[in-house]
């Protein structure tokens, strides 16, 4: 393989790794919600490079080794334990892309990258449509509760609004109860 062709294939492999990781819901949720701290986006970019380097530094990786590596990175960098069953799928995609790279099959790399990118768009569109009803349902549960009560063997169900706090329930915080480091001492009512 010529040097120029090798660089092109490596660029295709890099694009494939980026596409696979950007389409991985577990990583994207971690990044979008800042599980990796304020630098979550930078960590995600580093993550792509770390995965690429991992394949180049280790010959003949087994699928479980790739899964362990990805899981360890997610745990260490994003405080996220991936239990949705996606680790084997993403690991397989990355491993297949690397095999295409090793054989110099740029067309297969491009096709796989394109397929992953198209699939990602479909998943994103589905997630946006289902998010709104969940938020509305959650808002309803905050304002009222269903209560099932058993009264002399008969079950009654009522919808009870959440009680408004009365003035006697509100507790005033005294200045001496606030400690230097910002903590508040909570005292028992007398």
């Amino acid at each position: 393989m010529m040097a120029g062709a090798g660089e092109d294939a490596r660029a295709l492999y890099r694009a494939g790794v980026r596409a696979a990781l950007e389409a991985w819901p577990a990583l994207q949720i971690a990044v979008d919600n800042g599980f990796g701290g304020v630098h979550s986006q930078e960590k995600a970019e580093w993550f792509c490079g770390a995965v690429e380097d991992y394949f180049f530094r280790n010959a003949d990786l087994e699928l479980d080794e790739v899964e362990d590596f990805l899981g360890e990175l997610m745990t260490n960098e994003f405080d996220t334990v991936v239990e949705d069953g996606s680790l084997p799928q993403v690991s397989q995609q990355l491993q297949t892309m690397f095999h295409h790279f090793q054989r110099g099959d740029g067309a297969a790399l491009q096709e796989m990258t394109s397929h992953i990118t198209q699939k990602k768009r479909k998943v994103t569109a589905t997630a946006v449509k289902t998010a709104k009803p969940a938020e509305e349902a959650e808002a309803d549960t905050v304002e009222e509760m269903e209560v099932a009560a058993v009264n002399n063997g008969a079950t009654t169900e009522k919808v009870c609004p959440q009680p408004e706090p009365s003035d006697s329930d509100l507790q005033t915080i005294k200045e001496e109860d606030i400690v230097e480091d910002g903590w508040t001492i909570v005292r028992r009512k007398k």
Side-chain angles (χ1 to χ4, degrees), residues 3-120:
E7 290 173 15
D8 289 342
R10 184 153 181 163
L12 285 173
Y13 178 67
R14 182 177 300 121
V17 168
R18 181 170 302 282
L21 294 177
E22 286 177 354
W24 187 18
L27 177 59
Q28 292 314 307
I29 289 169
V31 171
D32 293 345
N33 292 295
F35 294 173
V38 293
H39 301 292
S40 289
Q41 187 60 46
E42 289 84 2
K43 284 184 177 184
E45 291 170 17
W46 168 85
F47 197 104
C48 293
V51 168
E52 182 183 353
D53 289 343
Y54 180 70
F55 276 95
F56 286 115
R57 291 184 182 163
N58 298 288
D60 300 325
L61 288 169
E62 295 294 324
L63 188 60
D64 61 336
E65 293 173 312
V66 178
E67 288 178 37
D68 290 345
F69 178 72
L70 292 176
E72 190 174 308
L73 285 180
M74 288 295 290
T75 300
N76 293 341
E77 300 302 325
F78 295 99
D79 292 326
T80 302
V81 177
V82 180
E83 294 180 337
D84 65 351
S86 64
L87 272 172
Q89 179 184 8
V90 173
S91 300
Q92 182 64 53
Q93 288 175 339
L94 294 170
Q95 196 170 35
T96 302
M97 281 189 249
F98 190 67
H99 289 304
H100 290 313
F101 168 78
Q102 286 177 318
R103 288 190 311 241
D105 193 352
L109 269 171
Q110 278 184 319
E111 184 180 327
M112 198 168 176
T113 301
S114 175
H115 177 72
I116 290 170
T117 303
Q118 288 173 355
K119 191 175 179 182
K120 174 190 168 197

